[in-house]
Structure formats: structure tokens, C-alpha cells
Amino acid sequence: MKIYLLYAKENWITDELAKEWIENNREIYTDNLNKADIIWVLSNYIINQIPFQYYKQKKVITTIHHITPWKVNNNQKNHFNNLNIITDVFHTNQDICKNTLKQYVTTPIKVIPFWHNENIWKFLNNKIKLRQKFNFSDDDFLVGSIQKDTEGASISNKTYKPKLEKGPDLFVKAVTLLKKEKYPNLKVILTGYYRQYIINELNKNKINYIYFEKIDFKKLNELYNCLDLCIVGSRVEGGPRAINECSLTKTPLLTTNVGIAPYMVHPKSIFDMNNIETILNCETDIDYNFNQAQKYTI
């Protein structure tokens, strides 16, 4: 049996998933469509990159990472219909996506959580030295935000609209509340691209932040190990990978009930996205999350 992997090379999570899967499954992987028995569509929006005759000749597994309900228009419904025609089985990594996907397709859906790479994401057990390395103050309560938060189309005209599925507005409300009620020395650590919305909102609310835009996995792992807390405020998620990474690095985490959170995060660490004040009563549990994460290591 040989599997051909269709994925978009665009510096997104699918690149890493594809790379790790290929490295660990070379005996069944092929980059030759003619030799493949199965096509695994890891990036479903690029299905037109393969002639449709191949989908008819092979077994097809199509992964759906997440669905943002308010963005499903007629074009998206037509796309799901096309996927339904060519796909033998759909795959998603969590039940929330499965339940949404069932509204648009009739093909069977399997839920199998993705793995994560414990060789990259590690607990380093040297927070004091790491914080000194990055010139963080001992007094700062460092809260991390790892996910992009701004709609790409709004960047060119500098309107900086929030990517609502990622919940950047909820994140800002959460850190504003935590700074007022619990941690007056709170400072936000941002990484990654498309962070303009949150940066503007933090400035409006006079919340200090440090932005690390271009960093590699090694440095990001070190930053995780510096944090006092990471907050995932998303409304819709395929992961997010921040949950996996926090769990493996033993970073304290509070999150909304999205994506893989029910699989990996202690229930007492999940706050209500419709009532942000519930975050004040949440508790982190790094040992629970770390132990849950061991189920999904490479």
C-alpha cells in the first residue's frame, strides 16, 4: 500500500504535519501519483492541483481541520459537495469539527487526533535562566498568545480586522480582566504573523507586550518555558497547536472549549467564551495536560 500526500506548502501547520508524517512513514509514502493506492488530501482547498481522474482511480482520505460556521457560503457548500463526491472517508481530529461537517457531507467521518512532536516541544526546567536570556523581568507575569489574530485582507488597507474564529477580542478582554483583578504586573508575549489587531488593542488598553515576529521552533519552545500562562481564546479551531505545545512544555494554559481542548486540557482550565469572567475562576493543571499529551506523541 502506498499513500500520496496532497498538502499546501505555505508555512502553515500542514507543512509540519506532512513533513513529520513522511519522515515516520517512508515505507508507505510515495510522491508518485501513479504508484499510489491512497490519496490523503491534507489541504482540501487545493484538490484542483490533481487531475480528477486520479480521485476516481484511488481511495481518497480528506482531512478537514476546522469549519468556521459563519463563513460557510454557497461556494463553500459547493466545495464540500465536490469533496463528498471524491472522498471515501473524511478525517478530522476532533468531534466539534465532525459534528459541523456532518451538516454538509454524507461520506463517513473518522475522528483521529493528530500527533505532536515531543522532540521539538519540551519542558526545559530552567525558567529563571531563560527569562534572563530574554531580558524578562522577574516581576512580570508573562501571558503568551501564539496564534495569528488579524484577517489577512485587512492588513493591506490597515483596518486590522480581528480574525474572530481565533478570538483575539476575547484574548484582549481576558488579559485586561486578569491584569485588573489578579496580575497588575501582567505583560503579553506575542509570536508569529498577523498580530496587528491584538497589538492595537493592547495599546488601547495600556497593556505592555513584547512581540517576537520571526522565530524558529527552538526559540518558541524557550519562550513557552518562560511563560506564566498561555491563553487560547478561540471560537473555532482545528487544534490549535498551542494546546499541544503548552501541554508538552508544561506551560500553564487556560482555553475556551474548542478543537482538541476536551482531549488534552483539564476541565477546570476551560473558560466560557460567552462569559469571559469565568476565566477568573479557572485553574491550570500542567501535570494533567502533560500526561494527556503523551497519548499523541510521535
Side-chain angles (χ1 to χ4, degrees):
M1 179 187 70
K2 293 291 184 178
I3 300 176
Y4 179 92
L5 210 56
L6 178 66
Y7 66 99
K9 301 173 180 65
E10 58 180 10
N11 193 30
W12 189 50
I13 181 58
T14 51
D15 297 73
E16 290 304 313
L17 290 172
K19 177 184 175 182
E20 291 172 353
W21 187 88
I22 291 169
E23 287 179 351
N24 288 276
N25 294 277
R26 292 196 175 277
E27 71 281 3
I28 60 172
Y29 167 71
T30 180
D31 60 2
N32 187 330
L33 261 174
N34 292 310
K35 294 182 178 180
D37 303 290
I38 297 171
I39 299 173
W40 179 8
V41 181
L42 190 56
S43 303
N44 69 81
Y45 48 91
I46 61 168
I47 55 172
N48 291 330
Q49 290 188 8
I50 294 179
F52 267 65
Q53 68 190 52
Y54 284 103
Y55 295 119
K56 296 178 181 179
Q57 298 168 358
K58 318 287 184 180
K59 294 292 185 182
V60 179
I61 302 168
T62 300
T63 293
I64 304 295
H65 297 270
H66 63 86
I67 300 172
T68 304
W70 59 88
K71 290 186 175 181
V72 179
N73 54 25
N74 287 334
N75 288 336
Q76 186 72 26
K77 290 177 182 177
N78 289 334
H79 179 63
F80 283 135
N81 184 59
N82 290 334
L83 291 175
N84 195 51
I85 292 170
I86 67 171
T87 300
D88 292 283
V89 61
F90 282 99
H91 160 250
T92 183
N93 73 327
Q94 30 99 5
D95 285 317
I96 296 171
C97 183
K98 175 185 176 180
N99 292 333
T100 306
L101 182 60
K102 285 194 298 186
Q103 301 174 38
Y104 305 107
V105 301
T106 57
T107 300
I109 306 168
K110 297 291 185 182
V111 177
I112 304 174
F114 281 118
W115 62 91
H116 43 220
N117 195 337
E118 75 279 11
N119 298 311
I120 295 175
W121 310 109
K122 305 174 183 179
F123 173 58
L124 300 178
N125 199 26
N126 58 352
K127 180 178 282 190
I128 294 175
K129 289 185 178 180
L130 284 172
R131 288 175 69 123
Q132 290 173 345
K133 174 181 177 178
F134 288 102
N135 294 316
F136 296 146
S137 169
D138 292 339
D139 296 330
D140 287 336
F141 186 85
L142 301 179
V143 179
S145 172
I146 312 301
Q147 303 147 281
K148 63 183 179 181
D149 59 71
T150 309
E151 290 285 4
S154 73
I155 292 176
S156 59
N157 61 16
K158 297 184 179 181
T159 55
Y160 304 139
K161 301 296 184 183
K163 195 173 183 67
L164 290 176
E165 55 266 46
K166 297 295 182 182
D169 53 326
L170 302 184
F171 175 86
V172 172
K173 289 179 181 178
V175 294
T176 301
L177 185 62
L178 288 170
K179 181 177 175 64
K180 177 183 177 183
E181 299 292 338
K182 285 190 171 184
Y183 309 110
N185 53 340
L186 184 149
K187 180 179 288 185
V188 172
I189 304 299
L190 300 172
T191 69
Y193 302 105
Y194 300 144
R195 308 314 312 264
Q196 289 87 344
Y197 171 82
I198 275 185
I199 287 173
N200 280 353
E201 294 301 308
L202 293 177
N203 285 330
K204 288 178 187 177
N205 287 277
K206 295 181 172 54
I207 295 177
N208 293 329
Y209 66 89
I210 303 175
Y211 181 27
F212 298 86
E213 183 176 6
K214 297 178 181 179
I215 57 173
D216 57 23
F217 285 161
K218 181 178 183 295
K219 192 169 183 178
L220 180 55
N221 186 74
E222 291 177 340
L223 285 175
Y224 272 122
N225 278 268
C226 291
L227 297 179
D228 296 295
L229 179 65
C230 188
I231 295 177
V232 172
S234 302
R235 294 177 173 90
V236 179
E237 276 291 355
R241 298 301 279 183
I243 289 179
N244 303 72
E245 293 155 12
C246 284
S247 299
L248 289 171
T249 57
K250 295 189 176 181
T251 302
L253 172 68
L254 298 179
T255 177
T256 51
N257 189 29
V258 292
I260 61 168
Y263 298 85
M264 208 170 298
V265 180
H266 196 285
K268 68 184 180 182
S269 302
I270 296 176
F271 63 93
D272 183 355
M273 69 180 73
N274 297 310
N275 183 6
I276 208 70
E277 290 192 358
T278 57
I279 199 170
L280 295 174
N281 298 317
C282 287
E283 300 176 27
T284 61
D285 193 328
I286 58 174
D287 292 329
Y288 177 93
N289 299 353
F290 180 80
N291 290 334
Q292 288 296 105
Q294 302 315 299
K295 300 176 182 179
Y296 308 109
T297 52
I298 290 179

